Amino acid sequence: MKAIKYTGFVIFIIALTIFTGTLFTGSFSLSQSELDAFLQEKNYKSTVIEGALKEAVVTEKKLNIFQFSSRVRKAYESSNNYYDALIAKYDAAKNWDKKGEQYQYKIYGKPHTLSYEIAKKAGSGFVKENAGLMWFLTFGLGILGALLFILPNLILLGKPGIKNDHIYHNSATNRGFIAWLVLIYLVAFYLLLYFMPDYVVNWTYILDPISNFLNGGDASQWFVYGFLYCTIMLTMGVRMYIKYRHNKYQVIRTTSVLFFQIVFAFLIPEIMTSLNMPGYDFKNAFPLDYDFFFEWNLDTLTSSGKIGLFILVWGIVLTLIIVPVMVYFFGKRWYCSWVCGCGGLAETLGDPYRQHSDKSLKAWKLERWLIHSVLVFSLLMTLVTLYCYFSGAQSFLGINSQWIKDTYSFLIGAWFAGVIGTGFYPIFGNRVWCRFGCPLAAYLGLVQRFKSRFRITTNGGQCISCGNCSTYCEQGIDVRAYAQKGENIIRSSCVGCGICSAVCPRGVLKLENGPEAGRINPTEVLLGNDVDLMNFVNKK
């Protein structure tokens, strides 16, 4: 069995190497007719960009993606610089009409995104021409290798039960060399995906056939991300099934997050796009879906007929009614551990790292300040955006609408949720984003703490203080401290993943939905001779 695991590991590494290596393959250039078709499609008003792009991309040279991107970005920059110079010239001459006229010729957009749009049409080579074979050599072999590594655990782990042996003796799961390599790769992946999509254009060629089948169009970097996201969750979900096969709650919960991610977050939006409808993830609630009230989304929905209106109403009802009602009856676990894609990835890919969550008091204080600050930030951004959308103004209370949206998208949407939230799994644990940054988790947590039937009950008399519950709490809760006192756990941060109960050897912890009365039952710890015990009991 170990030989099978090692074989699977080798196959997976080969697939990962090929997948990464595709970034450096292929050549990129356009013919004059292809460039003319691209410019006609984009309908640029600039008279400079045609010559600049012709010089950059109409060439016999075999440019790799990095050379091609550099040339394209310089072409766009030279065009914008030309009109910036005219704007400055007319500004100095106080010719306001001419100055204002020049802005229509500027080309707006992120440089690497502009480069991606043309690179998608300019690529050629083995990857693009052999998408099916490349899928097998990357995704296919990767899945095969991962499963060969995971499946032998059915036998190697022995009988069903708690199996976290040697987790602190393994470099991959105890912040060792392998963990840091994983971190570097994940961070690099997210940096490329969010900020340099043109560099990963070869990955999109691999999935073009699947994207065309689902939505009728070529794959984008976001399609690659969605497909890879589902693939990883499915593969690591198999690992969850094997590891926690003794626990029905974990098996059902894992099945739930896989279903909602694959069907609701991936397949339905892609199919909707193929039917000329706005692709929408019906489980994604505001403010996690932070751009729901952005101008472009409101315009898209209001111009999409009845389905757009339904999505708009559904999004508002989901946030204001369904979410708090569900939290009242079932706690935030119904969303964070059963539905949410972020939570789904954390529970599957991130499960080997859950023991790294910081349980210190300082971390708890930072958590409360940080996550609620992000919630306030998101609400302020939405308030400014809606005011400007309906009033036509550019700012509200001195806050520029575009600036605050760009700032939130960059700091929270990209860096916090993606680069840090997922990239740092191997070092800081699997719920960094959910614990410290997710504004929806903060909203759910407030409801759960003060108005919910959910609690984790503890039987202090059975607790042997082994510490398993606290060690594997991904949200950094010192569960053992509650268990030793027989005190219910009602923390805002608790996502009800149930792992604390799953790893408890004595059945001390139970996830329950009961009456609100008695839900909060603080238990005072008596030490030494600080009080007269009989007087204390009589007062009770």
Side-chain angles (χ1 to χ4, degrees):
M1 285 298 167
K2 288 188 177 180
I4 296 176
K5 284 179 69 75
Y6 294 143
T7 301
F9 179 74
V10 171
I11 293 174
F12 177 80
I13 292 298
I14 291 173
L16 185 64
T17 302
I18 295 173
F19 182 72
T20 307
T22 58
L23 299 180
F24 306 94
T25 63
S27 59
F28 295 80
S29 64
L30 288 177
S31 66
Q32 184 60 54
S33 60
E34 290 172 329
L35 176 60
D36 291 340
F38 174 77
L39 292 172
Q40 185 176 5
E41 176 187 329
K42 301 302 292 184
N43 196 28
Y44 292 138
K45 294 184 178 181
S46 168
T47 57
V48 178
I49 192 61
E50 180 179 357
L53 282 177
K54 179 180 179 181
E55 183 179 351
V57 303
V58 180
T59 176
E60 296 296 325
K61 294 181 180 179
K62 293 186 176 181
L63 304 173
N64 61 42
I65 186 58
F66 307 103
Q67 295 169 325
F68 181 85
S69 172
S70 177
R71 287 184 171 214
V72 170
R73 286 182 282 119
K74 287 179 180 177
Y76 280 108
E77 184 181 9
S78 65
S79 174
N80 284 338
N81 286 343
Y82 175 81
Y83 291 104
D84 282 336
L86 288 180
I87 290 171
K89 172 185 174 182
Y90 292 127
D91 183 63
K94 297 184 179 180
N95 188 340
W96 313 126
D97 291 337
K98 279 290 186 180
K99 175 186 175 182
E101 184 182 323
Q102 305 311 309
Y103 286 100
Q104 65 180 313
Y105 301 116
K106 293 193 65 176
I107 300 172
Y108 298 95
K110 298 176 181 178
H112 283 281
T113 302
L114 295 172
S115 172
Y116 170 82
E117 291 174 350
I118 192 169
K120 183 69 177 178
K121 300 178 181 296
S124 63
F126 186 84
V127 174
K128 186 174 183 179
E129 295 163 7
N130 299 274
L133 175 60
M134 290 306 302
W135 188 93
F136 172 75
L137 294 175
T138 53
F139 287 91
L141 286 183
I143 295 169
L144 175 63
L147 291 178
L148 286 176
F149 185 81
I150 292 169
L151 290 175
N153 286 336
L154 267 171
I155 297 174
L156 294 176
L157 289 179
K159 295 180 180 180
I162 304 165
K163 294 294 186 298
N164 281 314
D165 299 354
H166 309 298
I167 199 166
Y168 283 108
H169 298 159
N170 193 321
S171 175
T173 55
N174 192 28
R175 300 181 175 132
F177 177 70
I178 296 177
W180 282 100
L181 286 180
V182 174
L183 179 147
I184 291 170
Y185 191 91
L186 287 174
V187 168
F189 171 82
Y190 274 93
L191 289 176
L192 290 174
L193 184 78
Y194 281 115
F195 305 116
M196 291 164 276
D198 48 343
Y199 289 167
V200 302
V201 69
N202 275 322
W203 289 347
T204 69
Y205 294 145
I206 298 173
L207 295 180
D208 275 344
I210 299 176
S211 179
N212 275 285
F213 173 76
L214 287 176
N215 62 41
D218 288 341
S220 66
Q221 79 270 29
W222 301 118
F223 184 89
V224 171
Y225 184 49
F227 187 86
L228 188 61
Y229 205 103
C230 293
T231 301
I232 291 173
M233 280 187 59
L234 267 172
T235 307
M236 294 299 286
V238 173
R239 176 186 175 277
M240 289 289 289
Y241 286 134
I242 294 173
K243 182 177 180 180
Y244 297 105
R245 62 191 185 278
H246 65 291
N247 191 293
K248 186 181 293 186
Y249 181 83
Q250 298 303 320
V251 171
I252 298 175
R253 186 175 70 92
T254 300
T255 303
S256 176
V257 293
L258 290 177
F259 169 77
F260 279 103
Q261 173 58 33
I262 295 169
V263 176
F264 277 76
F266 185 67
L267 291 178
I268 290 178
E270 295 298 331
I271 295 172
M272 290 178 69
T273 301
S274 71
L275 298 174
N276 294 318
M277 290 188 273
Y280 180 68
D281 180 358
F282 285 92
K283 68 174 179 53
N284 204 9
F286 173 85
L288 178 60
D289 185 12
Y290 64 87
D291 56 3
F292 184 79
F293 292 107
F294 281 12
E295 292 93 332
W296 64 266
N297 190 52
L298 293 176
D299 288 338
T300 299
L301 295 179
T302 53
S303 63
S304 298
K306 293 181 179 178
I307 184 64
L309 180 61
F310 173 77
I311 291 172
L312 183 60
V313 173
W314 166 259
I316 295 172
V317 171
L318 176 64
T319 299
L320 298 181
I321 299 176
I322 297 177
V323 163
V325 168
M326 290 292 285
V327 174
Y328 172 75
F329 285 104
F330 305 107
K332 64 190 287 187
R333 61 171 168 162
W334 82 269
Y335 191 88
C336 295
S337 288
W338 287 70
V339 173
C340 180
C342 300
L345 189 69
E347 293 296 338
T348 51
L349 176 64
D351 180 71
Y353 311 113
R354 62 173 60 249
Q355 66 276 5
H356 295 323
S357 60
D358 192 340
K359 279 79 176 178
S360 68
L361 184 59
K362 289 183 179 179
W364 187 14
K365 290 180 178 179
L366 176 63
E367 168 194 327
R368 287 177 290 174
W369 278 103
L370 200 53
I371 196 170
H372 293 110
S373 296
V374 174
L375 175 61
V376 171
F377 189 1
S378 66
L379 294 177
L380 176 62
M381 173 190 66
T382 303
L383 176 64
V384 172
T385 300
L386 289 176
Y387 174 83
C388 292
Y389 178 76
F390 289 109
S391 69
Q394 296 296 316
S395 62
F396 177 58
L397 299 177
I399 303 173
N400 181 272
S401 174
Q402 192 60 48
W403 174 84
I404 194 171
K405 287 185 296 183
D406 289 344
T407 301
Y408 188 96
S409 299
F410 178 75
L411 294 179
I412 309 302
W415 274 98
F416 206 159
V419 178
I420 297 174
T422 304
F424 280 69
Y425 276 3
I427 304 302
F428 295 137
N430 59 325
R431 287 274 190 171
V432 175
W433 163 246
C434 308
R435 181 182 177 188
F436 294 97
C438 178
L440 180 57
Y443 170 35
L444 298 173
L446 288 173
V447 179
Q448 176 171 280
R449 176 64 178 82
F450 296 106
K451 197 67 177 176
S452 177
R453 293 164 59 88
F454 172 73
R455 83 290 308 272
I456 299 179
T457 60
T458 62
N459 183 348
Q462 291 292 318
C463 180
I464 59 173
S465 298
C466 66
N468 281 341
C469 53
S470 293
T471 298
Y472 298 105
C473 177
E474 59 194 358
Q475 290 293 109
I477 301 172
D478 187 3
V479 180
R480 179 172 59 180
Y482 290 88
Q484 288 171 331
K485 296 183 291 182
E487 187 174 331
N488 292 345
I489 300 171
I490 52 154
R491 286 267 286 272
S492 297
S493 56
C494 178
V495 294
C497 68
I499 296 296
C500 58
S501 177
V503 299
C504 178
R506 301 281 290 173
V508 172
L509 305 157
K510 292 184 179 180
L511 283 69
E512 297 184 6
N513 300 310
E516 286 188 76
R519 174 173 171 264
I520 300 177
N521 64 333
T523 305
E524 297 164 33
V525 179
L526 305 178
L527 300 175
N529 298 315
D530 294 338
V531 296
D532 186 317
L533 294 182
M534 291 308 299
N535 287 338
F536 182 82
V537 170
N538 290 332
K539 289 180 181 179
K540 285 285 186 179

